[in-house]
Amino acid sequence: MVTLAGEWWQSGTFWGAAAVIVAVLAAGSAVWATLRAANPKRRLLYRIYSRTPLLNPTASVPGGSLTVMHGTSALANPWVVEVELINAGRRDISASMFHNGESITLDLGVPIIALLHTETSSRTQRPPTAVVNGRVLAVPPCLLGKRHTATFSLLVDGDEPQLECLAPLTDVNVAEGRRPGSAAMTLAEVADAAIPAVVGFPMTGVFSQLMQGVLNRRRR
């Protein structure tokens, strides 16, 4: 009767190779964690959070027409729009990072009638100041705290507002953020979610079992 060789996972060659793989992946994880801590990302997102038409041109009003006034002027197609600037990074964006002291400009494509309200999600920082110039909202150099959101409520008049952003910031990745309810993710958000999962995988699941197996073999 022929005696079969042991299972493949009992082979010394297998466990030697497994030890090398675990060591390489663990080293990669350590290097990535070190680089991530030493170079935290700065990322600014901008988006229209909400846009609400104040008049419905297809609706009929009993007894006459409905008009929205601003001062003494009637607005033809008014909207209330909420625009957000989101510091989605892991570090503050300071006023010194605004290149040559230039402002962030948010162009809605339609005339801005008034800045109604400004607020921030931070409990320790004041909301940034902003200046209306035609269809553009300009945000001068200011501190945008990490993981904080600044919201600007605007009254505009015209077609459905869109948003374009020009942000002259140094060492900051600027991108359009997802609208509420959107399932799509930006490339930066995908990378931020995927890289830690991929690099951290060696220390979980199957690889954690390999690590334990290597240690057990060394104790024998």
Side-chain angles (χ1 to χ4, degrees):
M1 181 175 181
V2 178
T3 302
L4 297 177
E7 298 290 346
W8 62 269
W9 49 266
Q10 294 178 331
S11 167
T13 301
F14 166 76
W15 286 111
V20 172
I21 293 173
V22 169
V24 170
L25 293 175
S29 179
V31 170
W32 177 87
T34 300
L35 291 175
R36 183 179 176 91
N39 301 283
K41 294 181 179 179
R42 290 184 175 91
R43 186 166 75 251
L44 181 69
L45 304 180
Y46 62 92
R47 70 176 182 179
I48 291 180
Y49 179 79
S50 68
R51 45 189 153 199
T52 306
L54 299 184
L55 295 176
N56 185 349
T58 63
S60 60
V61 179
S65 61
L66 183 64
T67 303
V68 175
M69 305 289 294
H70 181 261
T72 58
S73 301
L75 304 181
N77 190 21
W79 301 70
V80 172
V81 185
E82 288 185 309
V83 175
E84 291 185 335
L85 286 177
I86 306 168
N87 182 351
R90 299 183 296 275
R91 295 188 66 180
D92 293 345
I93 298 174
S94 65
S96 63
M97 303 184 75
F98 286 64
H99 183 65
N100 288 335
E102 298 179 20
S103 299
I104 297 172
T105 57
L106 301 165
D107 188 343
L108 279 81
V110 292
I112 300 175
I113 305 304
L115 173 59
L116 304 176
H117 181 64
T118 304
E119 64 181 21
T120 177
S121 61
S122 172
R123 297 182 178 180
T124 59
Q125 298 173 8
R126 295 180 179 178
T129 59
V131 179
V132 173
N133 183 14
R135 66 184 198 181
V136 172
L137 182 72
V139 181
C142 61
L143 174 63
L144 299 172
K146 60 182 179 181
R147 305 298 187 186
H148 290 158
T149 299
T151 304
F152 307 92
S153 299
L154 306 165
L155 175 64
V156 305
D157 190 27
D159 296 332
E160 183 174 353
Q162 306 298 321
L163 182 62
E164 294 184 1
C165 176
L166 179 61
L169 301 172
T170 304
D171 297 327
V172 179
N173 179 27
V174 180
E176 185 172 7
R178 290 178 291 163
R179 295 179 182 176
S182 171
M185 294 181 70
T186 65
L187 289 177
E189 290 172 325
V190 170
D192 247 12
I195 292 176
V198 171
V199 177
F201 179 72
M203 306 311 295
T204 60
V206 174
F207 280 92
S208 65
Q209 296 178 19
L210 284 176
M211 174 69 83
Q212 187 61 47
V214 170
L215 294 176
N216 291 339
R217 292 282 297 185
R218 288 182 176 178
R219 293 191 186 109
R220 293 176 183 175

